[in-house]
Amino acid sequence: MEVKLWEGGLQSQEIKAIEIIQEAFSPDPISGKSRPKSGSSMQDQMRGLGLKGMFPWKGYAGFRFVDAKGNEGEFDLVIVTHCNVLIVELKDWNHGEVKSRGDRWYKNDVDMGRSPVSVTQKKVHLLKNKLERFKHRFSNSGWTPFVHHFVVMTGNAG
């Protein structure tokens, strides 16, 4: 998977995590086949189902998006598949336990801010609204792609 990085929008640990994700969804340069990791990759499993024409996926990382109303979202990684848009929020939290209380997340009783899940859900709405305006340009008969979100913990916090 090719990922377009916007300079200055990412921290070093986020770039490292994105490189790992990128490699997991990229073919081996010698064989052209995807690289299975500890068994088989998700990409291999999906290809094994006979799903053709769904790769390559594209990724866009480290950018800000502002809608017409001034609502803003900072995106660590957005992956565009054949039918979905995946928003990935990366959290590299280390040395401790992560807990949630209400809509706040804490690491070792230190308030880390609003829940990354809630924050990323807001980004889903921003992106869905933008995609809706351009659905007539899509090759899938004018349907807006499904937008999903994930928070990926990349550090060693429990």
Side-chain angles (χ1 to χ4, degrees):
M1 171 176 70
E2 175 188 346
V3 176
K4 166 84 171 147
L5 295 171
W6 272 263
E7 296 298 320
L10 297 167
Q11 298 174 7
S12 62
Q13 70 273 8
E14 292 171 328
I15 293 171
K16 183 178 178 183
I18 289 167
E19 288 171 348
I20 292 168
I21 293 168
Q22 180 177 358
E23 182 179 331
F25 290 99
S26 296
D28 178 54
I30 297 170
S31 70
K33 296 179 180 176
S34 59
R35 299 171 229 203
K37 292 190 181 204
S38 64
S40 63
S41 69
M42 184 171 138
Q43 182 177 10
D44 282 340
Q45 293 169 22
M46 289 189 290
R47 281 198 173 132
L49 295 173
L51 304 173
K52 296 183 180 186
M54 61 185 284
F55 292 103
W57 292 359
K58 299 284 185 190
Y60 303 91
F63 67 95
R64 289 191 176 278
F65 173 76
V66 181
D67 70 5
K69 296 178 184 175
N71 296 314
E72 182 178 313
E74 173 262 321
F75 293 85
D76 292 340
L77 177 61
V78 174
I79 299 172
V80 179
T81 76
H82 69 296
C83 65
N84 295 296
V85 176
L86 311 173
I87 299 172
V88 181
E89 176 69 21
L90 300 167
K91 293 295 176 197
D92 189 62
W93 292 350
N94 296 288
H95 312 296
E97 293 295 315
V98 176
K99 296 180 181 176
S100 76
R101 288 185 217 129
D103 195 37
R104 311 290 296 174
W105 279 23
Y106 296 83
K107 185 181 77 163
N108 296 333
D109 295 323
V110 174
D111 187 346
M112 301 301 285
R114 235 179 115 216
S115 162
V117 175
S118 297
V119 171
T120 308
Q121 284 174 330
K122 185 174 180 179
K123 295 175 192 179
V124 167
H125 296 295
L126 284 172
L127 202 50
K128 271 185 179 178
N129 290 338
K130 186 63 147 183
L131 291 172
E132 184 68 28
R133 291 180 46 214
F134 292 97
K135 70 181 180 182
H136 64 281
R137 294 186 185 180
F138 300 144
S139 62
N140 60 354
S141 303
W143 290 91
T144 305
F146 294 105
V147 181
H148 304 280
H149 67 286
F150 302 91
V151 175
V152 177
M153 304 298 284
T154 63
N156 62 18

PDB file of all heavy atoms in Angstrom, residues 83-108:
ATOM      1  N   CYS A  83     -13.876  -0.055  -1.134  1.00  0.00           N
ATOM      2  CA  CYS A  83     -15.255   0.271  -0.745  1.00  0.00           C
ATOM      3  C   CYS A  83     -15.375   0.968   0.605  1.00  0.00           C
ATOM      4  O   CYS A  83     -16.479   1.304   1.015  1.00  0.00           O
ATOM      5  CB  CYS A  83     -16.117  -0.991  -0.749  1.00  0.00           C
ATOM      6  SG  CYS A  83     -15.613  -2.195   0.489  1.00  0.00           S
ATOM      7  N   ASN A  84     -14.274   1.163   1.290  1.00  0.00           N
ATOM      8  CA  ASN A  84     -14.299   1.760   2.625  1.00  0.00           C
ATOM      9  C   ASN A  84     -13.235   2.825   2.764  1.00  0.00           C
ATOM     10  O   ASN A  84     -12.225   2.809   2.062  1.00  0.00           O
ATOM     11  CB  ASN A  84     -14.023   0.698   3.705  1.00  0.00           C
ATOM     12  CG  ASN A  84     -15.090  -0.346   3.777  1.00  0.00           C
ATOM     13  OD1 ASN A  84     -16.231  -0.057   4.090  1.00  0.00           O
ATOM     14  ND2 ASN A  84     -14.737  -1.589   3.475  1.00  0.00           N
ATOM     15  N   VAL A  85     -13.465   3.700   3.710  1.00  0.00           N
ATOM     16  CA  VAL A  85     -12.454   4.652   4.141  1.00  0.00           C
ATOM     17  C   VAL A  85     -12.230   4.365   5.622  1.00  0.00           C
ATOM     18  O   VAL A  85     -13.187   4.317   6.397  1.00  0.00           O
ATOM     19  CB  VAL A  85     -12.908   6.110   3.914  1.00  0.00           C
ATOM     20  CG1 VAL A  85     -11.883   7.083   4.469  1.00  0.00           C
ATOM     21  CG2 VAL A  85     -13.158   6.370   2.439  1.00  0.00           C
ATOM     22  N   LEU A  86     -10.977   4.123   5.994  1.00  0.00           N
ATOM     23  CA  LEU A  86     -10.634   3.775   7.369  1.00  0.00           C
ATOM     24  C   LEU A  86      -9.841   4.915   7.990  1.00  0.00           C
ATOM     25  O   LEU A  86      -8.800   5.309   7.458  1.00  0.00           O
ATOM     26  CB  LEU A  86      -9.787   2.498   7.404  1.00  0.00           C
ATOM     27  CG  LEU A  86     -10.310   1.308   6.602  1.00  0.00           C
ATOM     28  CD1 LEU A  86      -9.296   0.182   6.595  1.00  0.00           C
ATOM     29  CD2 LEU A  86     -11.643   0.849   7.130  1.00  0.00           C
ATOM     30  N   ILE A  87     -10.318   5.452   9.095  1.00  0.00           N
ATOM     31  CA  ILE A  87      -9.600   6.490   9.819  1.00  0.00           C
ATOM     32  C   ILE A  87      -8.894   5.801  10.982  1.00  0.00           C
ATOM     33  O   ILE A  87      -9.525   5.155  11.811  1.00  0.00           O
ATOM     34  CB  ILE A  87     -10.553   7.577  10.339  1.00  0.00           C
ATOM     35  CG1 ILE A  87     -11.266   8.263   9.164  1.00  0.00           C
ATOM     36  CG2 ILE A  87      -9.786   8.588  11.184  1.00  0.00           C
ATOM     37  CD1 ILE A  87     -12.365   9.221   9.588  1.00  0.00           C
ATOM     38  N   VAL A  88      -7.561   5.936  11.021  1.00  0.00           N
ATOM     39  CA  VAL A  88      -6.760   5.281  12.047  1.00  0.00           C
ATOM     40  C   VAL A  88      -6.115   6.361  12.927  1.00  0.00           C
ATOM     41  O   VAL A  88      -5.352   7.196  12.440  1.00  0.00           O
ATOM     42  CB  VAL A  88      -5.656   4.395  11.419  1.00  0.00           C
ATOM     43  CG1 VAL A  88      -4.840   3.703  12.499  1.00  0.00           C
ATOM     44  CG2 VAL A  88      -6.274   3.372  10.462  1.00  0.00           C
ATOM     45  N   GLU A  89      -6.447   6.344  14.193  1.00  0.00           N
ATOM     46  CA  GLU A  89      -5.845   7.237  15.182  1.00  0.00           C
ATOM     47  C   GLU A  89      -4.785   6.442  15.927  1.00  0.00           C
ATOM     48  O   GLU A  89      -5.070   5.377  16.471  1.00  0.00           O
ATOM     49  CB  GLU A  89      -6.916   7.741  16.159  1.00  0.00           C
ATOM     50  CG  GLU A  89      -6.395   8.603  17.273  1.00  0.00           C
ATOM     51  CD  GLU A  89      -5.898   9.964  16.806  1.00  0.00           C
ATOM     52  OE1 GLU A  89      -6.287  10.424  15.717  1.00  0.00           O
ATOM     53  OE2 GLU A  89      -5.114  10.581  17.545  1.00  0.00           O
ATOM     54  N   LEU A  90      -3.548   6.917  15.926  1.00  0.00           N
ATOM     55  CA  LEU A  90      -2.434   6.208  16.554  1.00  0.00           C
ATOM     56  C   LEU A  90      -2.123   6.819  17.914  1.00  0.00           C
ATOM     57  O   LEU A  90      -2.012   8.040  18.046  1.00  0.00           O
ATOM     58  CB  LEU A  90      -1.199   6.287  15.657  1.00  0.00           C
ATOM     59  CG  LEU A  90      -1.362   5.676  14.263  1.00  0.00           C
ATOM     60  CD1 LEU A  90      -0.206   6.074  13.360  1.00  0.00           C
ATOM     61  CD2 LEU A  90      -1.476   4.157  14.362  1.00  0.00           C
ATOM     62  N   LYS A  91      -1.978   5.979  18.916  1.00  0.00           N
ATOM     63  CA  LYS A  91      -1.610   6.411  20.264  1.00  0.00           C
ATOM     64  C   LYS A  91      -0.407   5.600  20.720  1.00  0.00           C
ATOM     65  O   LYS A  91      -0.485   4.382  20.862  1.00  0.00           O
ATOM     66  CB  LYS A  91      -2.775   6.216  21.254  1.00  0.00           C
ATOM     67  CG  LYS A  91      -3.955   7.120  20.985  1.00  0.00           C
ATOM     68  CD  LYS A  91      -3.573   8.560  21.195  1.00  0.00           C
ATOM     69  CE  LYS A  91      -4.682   9.504  20.853  1.00  0.00           C
ATOM     70  NZ  LYS A  91      -4.208  10.870  20.674  1.00  0.00           N
ATOM     71  N   ASP A  92       0.712   6.266  20.938  1.00  0.00           N
ATOM     72  CA  ASP A  92       1.944   5.622  21.388  1.00  0.00           C
ATOM     73  C   ASP A  92       2.140   5.939  22.863  1.00  0.00           C
ATOM     74  O   ASP A  92       2.936   6.785  23.232  1.00  0.00           O
ATOM     75  CB  ASP A  92       3.134   6.113  20.556  1.00  0.00           C
ATOM     76  CG  ASP A  92       4.391   5.310  20.840  1.00  0.00           C
ATOM     77  OD1 ASP A  92       4.371   4.093  20.590  1.00  0.00           O
ATOM     78  OD2 ASP A  92       5.377   5.895  21.327  1.00  0.00           O
ATOM     79  N   TRP A  93       1.365   5.266  23.697  1.00  0.00           N
ATOM     80  CA  TRP A  93       1.421   5.504  25.135  1.00  0.00           C
ATOM     81  C   TRP A  93       2.180   4.357  25.783  1.00  0.00           C
ATOM     82  O   TRP A  93       1.927   3.182  25.515  1.00  0.00           O
ATOM     83  CB  TRP A  93       0.018   5.611  25.710  1.00  0.00           C
ATOM     84  CG  TRP A  93      -0.714   6.840  25.244  1.00  0.00           C
ATOM     85  CD1 TRP A  93      -0.188   7.907  24.556  1.00  0.00           C
ATOM     86  CD2 TRP A  93      -2.087   7.142  25.422  1.00  0.00           C
ATOM     87  NE1 TRP A  93      -1.152   8.845  24.305  1.00  0.00           N
ATOM     88  CE2 TRP A  93      -2.342   8.395  24.828  1.00  0.00           C
ATOM     89  CE3 TRP A  93      -3.140   6.478  26.019  1.00  0.00           C
ATOM     90  CZ2 TRP A  93      -3.591   8.992  24.824  1.00  0.00           C
ATOM     91  CZ3 TRP A  93      -4.385   7.065  26.017  1.00  0.00           C
ATOM     92  CH2 TRP A  93      -4.605   8.321  25.436  1.00  0.00           C
ATOM     93  N   ASN A  94       3.118   4.712  26.645  1.00  0.00           N
ATOM     94  CA  ASN A  94       4.025   3.730  27.245  1.00  0.00           C
ATOM     95  C   ASN A  94       4.034   3.824  28.769  1.00  0.00           C
ATOM     96  O   ASN A  94       3.669   4.841  29.335  1.00  0.00           O
ATOM     97  CB  ASN A  94       5.450   3.962  26.722  1.00  0.00           C
ATOM     98  CG  ASN A  94       5.538   3.732  25.235  1.00  0.00           C
ATOM     99  OD1 ASN A  94       5.476   2.603  24.771  1.00  0.00           O
ATOM    100  ND2 ASN A  94       5.667   4.800  24.467  1.00  0.00           N
ATOM    101  N   HIS A  95       4.495   2.730  29.396  1.00  0.00           N
ATOM    102  CA  HIS A  95       4.785   2.678  30.828  1.00  0.00           C
ATOM    103  C   HIS A  95       3.569   2.949  31.700  1.00  0.00           C
ATOM    104  O   HIS A  95       3.480   3.966  32.366  1.00  0.00           O
ATOM    105  CB  HIS A  95       5.916   3.643  31.195  1.00  0.00           C
ATOM    106  CG  HIS A  95       7.098   3.541  30.305  1.00  0.00           C
ATOM    107  ND1 HIS A  95       7.867   2.395  30.222  1.00  0.00           N
ATOM    108  CD2 HIS A  95       7.629   4.417  29.426  1.00  0.00           C
ATOM    109  CE1 HIS A  95       8.831   2.581  29.346  1.00  0.00           C
ATOM    110  NE2 HIS A  95       8.707   3.805  28.846  1.00  0.00           N
ATOM    111  N   GLY A  96       2.639   2.059  31.679  1.00  0.00           N
ATOM    112  CA  GLY A  96       1.521   2.204  32.589  1.00  0.00           C
ATOM    113  C   GLY A  96       0.260   1.562  32.086  1.00  0.00           C
ATOM    114  O   GLY A  96       0.255   0.789  31.139  1.00  0.00           O
ATOM    115  N   GLU A  97      -0.820   1.923  32.746  1.00  0.00           N
ATOM    116  CA  GLU A  97      -2.139   1.393  32.417  1.00  0.00           C
ATOM    117  C   GLU A  97      -3.021   2.510  31.896  1.00  0.00           C
ATOM    118  O   GLU A  97      -3.032   3.610  32.433  1.00  0.00           O
ATOM    119  CB  GLU A  97      -2.783   0.783  33.659  1.00  0.00           C
ATOM    120  CG  GLU A  97      -2.082  -0.464  34.173  1.00  0.00           C
ATOM    121  CD  GLU A  97      -2.151  -1.628  33.206  1.00  0.00           C
ATOM    122  OE1 GLU A  97      -3.257  -1.872  32.656  1.00  0.00           O
ATOM    123  OE2 GLU A  97      -1.125  -2.273  32.986  1.00  0.00           O
ATOM    124  N   VAL A  98      -3.766   2.202  30.855  1.00  0.00           N
ATOM    125  CA  VAL A  98      -4.715   3.154  30.273  1.00  0.00           C
ATOM    126  C   VAL A  98      -6.110   2.755  30.731  1.00  0.00           C
ATOM    127  O   VAL A  98      -6.486   1.588  30.630  1.00  0.00           O
ATOM    128  CB  VAL A  98      -4.621   3.151  28.726  1.00  0.00           C
ATOM    129  CG1 VAL A  98      -5.674   4.064  28.133  1.00  0.00           C
ATOM    130  CG2 VAL A  98      -3.226   3.542  28.281  1.00  0.00           C
ATOM    131  N   LYS A  99      -6.843   3.742  31.251  1.00  0.00           N
ATOM    132  CA  LYS A  99      -8.212   3.508  31.702  1.00  0.00           C
ATOM    133  C   LYS A  99      -9.084   4.642  31.206  1.00  0.00           C
ATOM    134  O   LYS A  99      -8.605   5.739  30.945  1.00  0.00           O
ATOM    135  CB  LYS A  99      -8.270   3.457  33.231  1.00  0.00           C
ATOM    136  CG  LYS A  99      -7.487   2.303  33.806  1.00  0.00           C
ATOM    137  CD  LYS A  99      -7.551   2.283  35.302  1.00  0.00           C
ATOM    138  CE  LYS A  99      -6.719   1.097  35.794  1.00  0.00           C
ATOM    139  NZ  LYS A  99      -6.625   1.013  37.210  1.00  0.00           N
ATOM    140  N   SER A 100     -10.361   4.344  31.102  1.00  0.00           N
ATOM    141  CA  SER A 100     -11.289   5.411  30.720  1.00  0.00           C
ATOM    142  C   SER A 100     -12.261   5.651  31.852  1.00  0.00           C
ATOM    143  O   SER A 100     -12.673   4.723  32.558  1.00  0.00           O
ATOM    144  CB  SER A 100     -12.036   5.050  29.433  1.00  0.00           C
ATOM    145  OG  SER A 100     -13.033   4.103  29.680  1.00  0.00           O
ATOM    146  N   ARG A 101     -12.614   6.923  32.011  1.00  0.00           N
ATOM    147  CA  ARG A 101     -13.641   7.332  32.970  1.00  0.00           C
ATOM    148  C   ARG A 101     -14.507   8.340  32.244  1.00  0.00           C
ATOM    149  O   ARG A 101     -14.055   9.436  31.929  1.00  0.00           O
ATOM    150  CB  ARG A 101     -13.011   7.965  34.209  1.00  0.00           C
ATOM    151  CG  ARG A 101     -12.312   6.980  35.092  1.00  0.00           C
ATOM    152  CD  ARG A 101     -11.808   7.625  36.381  1.00  0.00           C
ATOM    153  NE  ARG A 101     -10.524   7.012  36.695  1.00  0.00           N
ATOM    154  CZ  ARG A 101      -9.422   7.685  36.967  1.00  0.00           C
ATOM    155  NH1 ARG A 101      -9.418   8.994  36.995  1.00  0.00           N
ATOM    156  NH2 ARG A 101      -8.313   7.036  37.231  1.00  0.00           N
ATOM    157  N   GLY A 102     -15.737   7.917  31.969  1.00  0.00           N
ATOM    158  CA  GLY A 102     -16.613   8.777  31.185  1.00  0.00           C
ATOM    159  C   GLY A 102     -16.039   8.937  29.784  1.00  0.00           C
ATOM    160  O   GLY A 102     -15.721   7.958  29.123  1.00  0.00           O
ATOM    161  N   ASP A 103     -15.867  10.176  29.368  1.00  0.00           N
ATOM    162  CA  ASP A 103     -15.318  10.445  28.037  1.00  0.00           C
ATOM    163  C   ASP A 103     -13.851  10.881  28.109  1.00  0.00           C
ATOM    164  O   ASP A 103     -13.336  11.503  27.201  1.00  0.00           O
ATOM    165  CB  ASP A 103     -16.155  11.534  27.348  1.00  0.00           C
ATOM    166  CG  ASP A 103     -15.884  11.602  25.850  1.00  0.00           C
ATOM    167  OD1 ASP A 103     -15.685  10.540  25.226  1.00  0.00           O
ATOM    168  OD2 ASP A 103     -15.855  12.726  25.310  1.00  0.00           O
ATOM    169  N   ARG A 104     -13.146  10.537  29.211  1.00  0.00           N
ATOM    170  CA  ARG A 104     -11.741  10.897  29.390  1.00  0.00           C
ATOM    171  C   ARG A 104     -10.919   9.622  29.461  1.00  0.00           C
ATOM    172  O   ARG A 104     -11.374   8.604  29.980  1.00  0.00           O
ATOM    173  CB  ARG A 104     -11.523  11.689  30.674  1.00  0.00           C
ATOM    174  CG  ARG A 104     -12.435  12.843  30.917  1.00  0.00           C
ATOM    175  CD  ARG A 104     -12.263  14.013  30.034  1.00  0.00           C
ATOM    176  NE  ARG A 104     -10.986  14.677  30.159  1.00  0.00           N
ATOM    177  CZ  ARG A 104     -10.618  15.675  29.355  1.00  0.00           C
ATOM    178  NH1 ARG A 104     -11.430  16.114  28.433  1.00  0.00           N
ATOM    179  NH2 ARG A 104      -9.454  16.233  29.486  1.00  0.00           N
ATOM    180  N   TRP A 105      -9.700   9.663  28.930  1.00  0.00           N
ATOM    181  CA  TRP A 105      -8.763   8.548  29.055  1.00  0.00           C
ATOM    182  C   TRP A 105      -7.623   8.976  29.964  1.00  0.00           C
ATOM    183  O   TRP A 105      -7.145  10.123  29.894  1.00  0.00           O
ATOM    184  CB  TRP A 105      -8.230   8.131  27.692  1.00  0.00           C
ATOM    185  CG  TRP A 105      -9.165   7.232  26.934  1.00  0.00           C
ATOM    186  CD1 TRP A 105     -10.517   7.115  27.095  1.00  0.00           C
ATOM    187  CD2 TRP A 105      -8.825   6.340  25.887  1.00  0.00           C
ATOM    188  NE1 TRP A 105     -11.037   6.203  26.208  1.00  0.00           N
ATOM    189  CE2 TRP A 105     -10.014   5.711  25.452  1.00  0.00           C
ATOM    190  CE3 TRP A 105      -7.642   6.010  25.263  1.00  0.00           C
ATOM    191  CZ2 TRP A 105     -10.042   4.775  24.428  1.00  0.00           C
ATOM    192  CZ3 TRP A 105      -7.665   5.074  24.237  1.00  0.00           C
ATOM    193  CH2 TRP A 105      -8.855   4.462  23.834  1.00  0.00           C
ATOM    194  N   TYR A 106      -7.183   8.039  30.806  1.00  0.00           N
ATOM    195  CA  TYR A 106      -6.127   8.297  31.771  1.00  0.00           C
ATOM    196  C   TYR A 106      -5.021   7.264  31.607  1.00  0.00           C
ATOM    197  O   TYR A 106      -5.292   6.093  31.364  1.00  0.00           O
ATOM    198  CB  TYR A 106      -6.668   8.219  33.199  1.00  0.00           C
ATOM    199  CG  TYR A 106      -7.703   9.278  33.492  1.00  0.00           C
ATOM    200  CD1 TYR A 106      -9.036   9.097  33.129  1.00  0.00           C
ATOM    201  CD2 TYR A 106      -7.340  10.452  34.116  1.00  0.00           C
ATOM    202  CE1 TYR A 106      -9.985  10.076  33.392  1.00  0.00           C
ATOM    203  CE2 TYR A 106      -8.284  11.444  34.384  1.00  0.00           C
ATOM    204  CZ  TYR A 106      -9.598  11.238  34.011  1.00  0.00           C
ATOM    205  OH  TYR A 106     -10.533  12.207  34.267  1.00  0.00           O
ATOM    206  N   LYS A 107      -3.787   7.716  31.764  1.00  0.00           N
ATOM    207  CA  LYS A 107      -2.640   6.806  31.816  1.00  0.00           C
ATOM    208  C   LYS A 107      -1.992   7.022  33.171  1.00  0.00           C
ATOM    209  O   LYS A 107      -1.477   8.097  33.461  1.00  0.00           O
ATOM    210  CB  LYS A 107      -1.646   7.085  30.690  1.00  0.00           C
ATOM    211  CG  LYS A 107      -0.503   6.074  30.655  1.00  0.00           C
ATOM    212  CD  LYS A 107       0.488   6.378  29.562  1.00  0.00           C
ATOM    213  CE  LYS A 107       1.344   7.518  30.050  1.00  0.00           C
ATOM    214  NZ  LYS A 107       2.570   7.716  29.332  1.00  0.00           N
ATOM    215  N   ASN A 108      -2.072   5.989  34.017  1.00  0.00           N
ATOM    216  CA  ASN A 108      -1.541   6.103  35.384  1.00  0.00           C
ATOM    217  C   ASN A 108      -2.118   7.315  36.105  1.00  0.00           C
ATOM    218  O   ASN A 108      -1.387   8.096  36.704  1.00  0.00           O
ATOM    219  CB  ASN A 108      -0.013   6.191  35.365  1.00  0.00           C
ATOM    220  CG  ASN A 108       0.621   4.936  34.825  1.00  0.00           C
ATOM    221  OD1 ASN A 108       0.060   3.857  34.908  1.00  0.00           O
ATOM    222  ND2 ASN A 108       1.791   5.075  34.248  1.00  0.00           N
TER     223      ASN A 108
END
